[in-house]
Amino acid sequence: MRWSEIGGVPCSVARALSVVGDRWVMLVLREAFLGTRRFEDFHERVGASRRVLAERLAGLVEDGVLARVRYSERPDRFEYRLTDKGRDLHTVLTALRVWGDRWMADDQGPPVTVVHRTCGAAMDPVMVCPDCRDEIDPRDLTAVVHRGPVRG
Amino acid sequence: MRWSEIGGVPCSVARALSVVGDRWVMLVLREAFLGTRRFEDFHERVGASRRVLAERLAGLVEDGVLARVRYSERPDRFEYRLTDKGRDLHTVLTALRVWGDRWMADDQGPPVTVVHRTCGAAMDPVMVCPDCRDEIDPRDLTAVVHRGPVRG
DNA sequence: CCGGTGGGTTCCATAAAGGAACTTAGTCAG
DNA sequence: CTGACTAAGTTCCTTTATGGAACCCACCGG
């Protein structure tokens, strides 16, 4: 299967990956959440080549995750801002960060901590059931497949 | 920057991505969480070529996300099972699924729903602050960078 | 006029991917 | 014994994507 066909598969994981499943896209989003908006800054901080970065930013705009907003005329200059759809990806990024902190740390501890301003706590968010508010153990989950052939 | 250098960056997101940032790896993990264990089944359900699949499975074993377990001698046959480190990635997969359900759905609704067996609720987990138990709004978070140069 | 800035695009050599065929070691049916 | 079949990879070849450097365009400030 070609990667370009992955968005058509009836699976929300596959469809999400058709947008953010690329190597560089998640790093672009990490920067976006840290406040980066401009091409040159993404280029410097993400580490992707200019060609790939330009292509990925355009893709994210097309997918509605980033908006390309003019901040200067004469000359035309644009910056990239998270949309609501993009901001909603914070759960994915947070899940990656928390997993990386737990399983990929070196002896210096996590390079970044996150603080919840509304309560002041250093924060590694947890996933809870929206109903019973218990923390999720993946072994307590059952997937109910409504449509196939690829499941998930 | 080469992708192979990404694991050395002092950023938990980048390090997590060095393991799961590949196009096919997350689909392999989706199948693993749904119970798939064998090469042929992964091949059929994930859609990656045999060559890429073999390489990705070997990588996940090396990274400690899957364990390669012999289930037959004569002939030698192996299956791939999630380790604790791998099972802990359910948060990432769930975040992707929930986002995909919300933003990438077609008119037939989500292809899969997940049920929390301990309480019986259909479940789209939410992320909460471990301290105040409030649901996270990304605008309430502040990242505190301890080490650079790449942040996240 | 000269250099600098921001946001890209073009070009080329190298690396990775898709797909089909092949391999290995054994089982089972006739 | 022969031939078909299974599972788990590997090999080979062609197509595609990537990294990196150079280049381009529009403007600004001195």
Side-chain angles (χ1 to χ4, degrees):
Chain A
M1 191 202 289
R2 286 281 155 71
W3 186 255
S4 53
E5 301 163 33
I6 208 68
V9 168
C11 162
S12 292
V13 175
R15 288 181 186 178
L17 290 172
S18 74
V19 177
V20 298
D22 178 81
R23 292 161 154 66
W24 298 113
V25 163
M26 289 306 300
L27 295 181
V28 167
L29 291 173
R30 172 194 71 186
E31 288 308 317
F33 277 104
L34 289 170
T36 300
R37 290 180 175 172
R38 297 190 183 175
F39 189 92
E40 295 298 329
D41 294 331
F42 280 116
H43 178 52
E44 179 187 352
R45 295 170 192 170
V46 167
S49 71
R50 302 178 75 79
R51 203 176 58 71
V52 168
L53 177 60
E55 194 179 290
R56 295 302 184 278
L57 287 170
L60 287 168
V61 169
E62 193 177 341
D63 290 327
V65 169
L66 297 178
R68 187 163 177 266
V69 180
R70 193 195 334 262
Y71 69 90
S72 153
E73 300 186 46
R74 320 187 56 76
D76 269 13
R77 292 284 159 77
F78 299 90
E79 61 182 17
Y80 297 89
R81 292 168 180 252
L82 286 167
T83 61
D84 288 343
K85 184 174 176 180
R87 224 171 347 260
D88 204 33
L89 283 164
H90 77 96
T91 51
V92 177
L93 224 23
T94 296
L96 285 169
R97 177 180 59 80
V98 170
W99 187 86
D101 283 348
R102 189 172 305 162
W103 295 99
M104 305 292 288
D106 56 34
D107 51 15
Q108 297 174 76
V112 172
T113 51
V114 174
V115 173
H116 194 213
R117 276 202 306 283
T118 57
C119 76
M123 197 195 66
D124 283 350
V126 294
M127 260 191 189
V128 300
C129 174
D131 205 58
C132 67
R133 307 300 278 188
D134 277 354
E135 195 166 338
I136 305 297
D137 180 329
R139 277 169 283 209
D140 295 333
L141 301 178
T142 302
V144 182
V145 179
H146 307 291
R147 290 181 281 139
V150 178
R151 298 85 38 77
Chain B
M1 191 200 288
R2 288 279 157 70
W3 185 255
S4 53
E5 302 163 32
I6 208 68
V9 169
C11 162
S12 292
V13 175
R15 288 182 187 178
L17 290 172
S18 73
V19 176
V20 299
D22 179 81
R23 291 162 154 67
W24 298 113
V25 163
M26 289 305 300
L27 295 180
V28 167
L29 291 174
R30 173 195 71 188
E31 287 308 317
F33 277 103
L34 288 170
T36 300
R37 292 182 174 171
R38 297 192 184 175
F39 188 93
E40 295 298 330
D41 294 330
F42 281 115
H43 178 53
E44 180 187 352
R45 295 169 192 171
V46 168
S49 72
R50 303 177 75 77
R51 201 175 61 70
V52 168
L53 177 60
E55 193 178 290
R56 295 303 185 276
L57 287 171
L60 288 169
V61 169
E62 192 177 342
D63 290 328
V65 169
L66 297 178
R68 187 164 177 263
V69 180
R70 195 201 325 268
Y71 70 89
S72 154
E73 301 185 45
R74 322 187 54 77
D76 269 13
R77 292 284 160 76
F78 299 89
E79 62 182 18
Y80 298 89
R81 292 168 180 249
L82 287 167
T83 61
D84 288 343
K85 183 174 176 180
R87 226 173 344 262
D88 204 34
L89 282 164
H90 81 279
T91 51
V92 177
L93 225 23
T94 296
L96 285 169
R97 177 180 60 79
V98 170
W99 187 86
D101 282 349
R102 189 172 304 163
W103 295 99
M104 304 293 288
D106 55 34
D107 51 14
Q108 298 176 75
V112 171
T113 51
V114 173
V115 173
H116 194 212
R117 277 202 306 283
T118 56
C119 76
M123 197 196 65
D124 283 351
V126 294
M127 260 190 192
V128 300
C129 174
D131 204 59
C132 67
R133 308 301 278 188
D134 277 356
E135 195 166 339
I136 304 296
D137 180 328
R139 277 167 284 208
D140 295 333
L141 300 179
T142 302
V144 181
V145 179
H146 307 290
R147 289 182 282 140
V150 177
R151 299 84 40 76

